[in-house]
Amino acid sequence: SWMLADMATQVEAARLLTHKAAFLAERGESFTVHAAMAKLAASELCVQASIQGIQIYGGYGYMMDSPMQRYFRDAKLTTIYEGTSEVQRMVISRSVLR
């Protein structure tokens, strides 16, 4: 149950980052860094949550006919498209180092 509590907390944090980026965009303010933070947090969370889901399901979660396998593959893809996690980290670190 602790894994689920951690996942729920991380989902809410990613959601709030996404809302902040959207809020800034709607106001016409610079939102690039916040969007990068939101994408990084959400995509990395997807991967970690799917790995934990596989762990929760045990041996069945690892089988190819398990939906958890598809969730993991889909989650991993989110760290690659529309800017890899490494690119998102570069955007964020440039802002932090200014």
Side-chain angles (χ1 to χ4, degrees):
S1 64
W2 288 14
M3 284 184 189
L4 295 175
D6 289 344
M7 283 187 256
T9 301
Q10 293 166 346
V11 166
E12 186 62 21
R15 181 178 293 128
L16 290 172
L17 283 168
T18 303
H19 284 214
K20 182 163 185 182
F23 174 76
L24 292 172
E26 285 180 350
R27 293 184 59 177
E29 297 180 28
S30 176
F31 65 94
T32 304
V33 174
H34 288 87
M37 288 179 177
K39 201 248 183 218
L40 177 65
S43 63
E44 295 289 323
L45 164 63
C46 283
V47 172
Q48 288 305 314
S50 65
I51 290 170
Q52 289 176 340
I54 290 171
Q55 180 72 25
I56 290 168
Y57 273 85
Y60 177 69
Y62 193 71
M63 293 173 54
M64 288 306 288
D65 63 341
S66 164
M68 291 308 304
Q69 280 291 323
R70 183 177 46 107
Y71 299 151
F72 173 73
R73 289 190 306 272
D74 291 347
K76 185 59 183 162
L77 185 61
T78 66
T79 65
I80 298 168
Y81 72 87
E82 295 293 328
T84 65
S85 292
E86 291 77 17
V87 169
Q88 304 307 324
R89 286 182 173 97
M90 285 181 359
V91 169
I92 297 164
S93 66
R94 284 184 192 145
S95 173
V96 171
L97 294 173
R98 286 188 199 176

